[in-house]
Amino acid sequence: MQGEYFPTHKRVKFAALAVFVEWMTSFTVDEIFPYMDSVLHLGYSVIVFGIISIIAYTIFYFTMPETKNITVEKIVEIFENNTLINLGKIRSYNKHGEELKDNESMEVEE
């Protein structure tokens, strides 16, 4: 998923940055968890991380468009021509990369 959200000419740098953030997040969780476990105990520690995960899921659900059946070039165009707020309003595309109306359904290639 990391690669499809970046323009082709910047993909290597941004993918490396995404991997760095992912590793730093994992490192932070690994460092924080033992302290949280000793203070909050296992149950409440898991609840805290669960709440953080739900918040992250909600943010990404409303800000990232569906990219199924869309070419990389069309994805680049979508991201270059829209703000982060507008991206959340873009939901579905057909197999030709055209935005679907509310009453249309996605065509699935077989």
Side-chain angles (χ1 to χ4, degrees):
M1 181 174 94
Q2 294 170 353
E4 70 183 21
Y5 284 119
F6 305 118
T8 307
H9 63 282
K10 297 180 182 178
R11 188 165 296 147
V12 173
K13 291 179 182 178
F14 283 109
L17 178 63
V19 169
F20 174 75
V21 169
E22 181 181 348
W23 277 82
M24 291 308 296
T25 304
S26 294
F27 174 76
T28 303
V29 170
D30 288 345
E31 292 297 312
I32 290 174
F33 184 77
Y35 175 74
M36 286 180 65
D37 187 31
S38 67
V39 174
L40 299 176
H41 304 293
L42 181 62
Y44 290 112
S45 298
V46 171
I47 289 172
V48 168
F49 287 118
I51 291 169
I52 293 170
S53 296
I54 290 169
I55 291 169
Y57 175 82
T58 305
I59 290 169
F60 283 109
Y61 180 80
F62 288 109
T63 58
M64 291 296 159
E66 175 62 58
T67 57
K68 183 177 180 181
N69 296 326
I70 305 176
T71 64
V72 174
E73 291 77 19
K74 182 65 179 174
I75 293 170
V76 169
E77 180 184 327
I78 291 167
F79 277 86
E80 286 179 347
N81 296 327
N82 291 287
T83 64
L84 188 59
I85 294 170
N86 289 342
L87 286 175
K89 296 176 185 174
I90 299 170
R91 278 285 151 230
S92 301
Y93 287 87
N94 63 19
K95 64 183 176 183
H96 305 292
E98 300 162 341
E99 188 174 355
L100 298 177
K101 309 281 188 274
D102 290 336
N103 58 354
E104 293 179 316
S105 62
M106 289 184 68
E107 300 174 25
V108 179
E109 288 187 57
E110 298 185 24

